[in-house]
Amino acid sequence: RKEVEQDPGPFNVPEGATVAFNCTYSNSASQSFFWYRQDCRKEPKLLMSVYSSGNEDGRFTAQLNRASQYISLLIRDSKLSDSATYLCVVALNYGGSQGNLIFGKGTKLSVKP
Amino acid sequence: EAGVTQSPTHLIKTRGQQATLRCSPISGHTSVYWYQQALGLGLQFLLWYDEGEERNRGNFPPRFSGRQFPNYSSELNVNALELEDSALYLCASSPDSNQPQHFGDGTRLSIL
């Protein structure tokens, strides 16, 4: 089983749509959780950290369910500029430190006019 | 504030050669991470350095090695290059190992 699994995508949605991405992770020792965004042939950029209480940043809402080992990202009122690949990322605990990141393969989102 | 910088942008080598990739972290960041992004495989963790020490390495053969210098910059060395080493190599840094990582633009390594 892969350490981080995501919806394979691609997701093709019209502008204004709400889109949800799901992700599961296999290692219960995972300590930190993130969503990164990667544009074509560019470096990944941190979109938001994910907390157990859930967190929101504008049109983006992230949720974490530790019991189910499940992470989600909701994008409301999608914009053309949201088109990118969304990477679900977890970090394990190495002696109290966050350590290196483990990436899902990513879900490609394409927002159409 | 300057971001993570990597050099060179592109590197073309032939099988059996050796490659050296360089990374300068964001000022004040002490942790440096290396990742490989090969076509169709997603980002794979290579190496993690913190305060000059190697903290962890991913599932890669020993011909992948690196180091971190006193100024926290880092080098990734790949010996005996193979065709499947062709990939984008990304460096990331964080203020310490408990903070989010920020990525450089990457070095695209092509093996002919």
Side-chain angles (χ1 to χ4, degrees), chain A residues 61-109:
Chain A
T61 301
Q63 296 276 355
L64 166 65
N65 185 320
R66 284 186 185 269
S68 304
Q69 296 180 200
Y70 171 89
I71 307 163
S72 67
L73 175 69
L74 185 77
I75 305 176
R76 291 180 299 278
D77 187 25
S78 52
K79 312 287 184 194
L80 296 176
S81 56
D82 294 334
S83 297
T85 296
Y86 289 82
L87 302 166
C88 178
V89 184
V90 307
L92 299 178
N93 183 320
Y94 287 101
S97 296
Q98 175 180 287
N100 53 279
L101 301 177
I102 302 167
F103 286 81
K105 279 195 172 183
T107 304
K108 187 172 180 180
L109 171 66

Side-chain angles (χ1 to χ4, degrees), chain B residues 1-106:
Chain B
E1 178 187 75
V4 176
T5 57
Q6 292 186 243
S7 63
T9 305
H10 291 91
L11 190 57
I12 300 174
K13 293 284 186 177
T14 57
R15 286 177 62 190
Q17 285 189 311
Q18 183 261 351
T20 298
L21 286 62
R22 296 180 176 83
C23 172
S24 292
I26 293 171
S27 177
H29 287 197
T30 61
S31 280
V32 172
Y33 308 79
W34 287 95
Y35 297 87
Q36 182 198 65
Q37 189 170 32
L39 202 59
L41 290 181
L43 276 113
Q44 304 287 321
F45 165 67
L46 267 164
L47 289 160
W48 165 26
Y49 292 96
D50 185 47
E51 297 284 357
E53 301 282 331
E54 181 181 300
R55 299 297 185 191
N56 196 23
R57 67 178 290 130
N59 188 25
F60 281 82
R63 56 192 186 82
F64 286 83
S65 65
R67 54 182 172 165
Q68 186 178 34
F69 299 98
N71 66 354
Y72 303 114
S73 66
S74 177
E75 268 182 8
L76 172 68
N77 295 293
V78 188
N79 293 321
L81 287 165
E82 300 178 4
L83 292 175
E84 54 263 34
D85 297 334
S86 294
L88 179 67
Y89 289 83
L90 289 158
C91 174
S93 73
S94 61
D96 59 55
S97 52
N98 283 313
Q99 299 295 322
Q101 295 173 25
H102 300 270
F103 285 80
D105 291 343

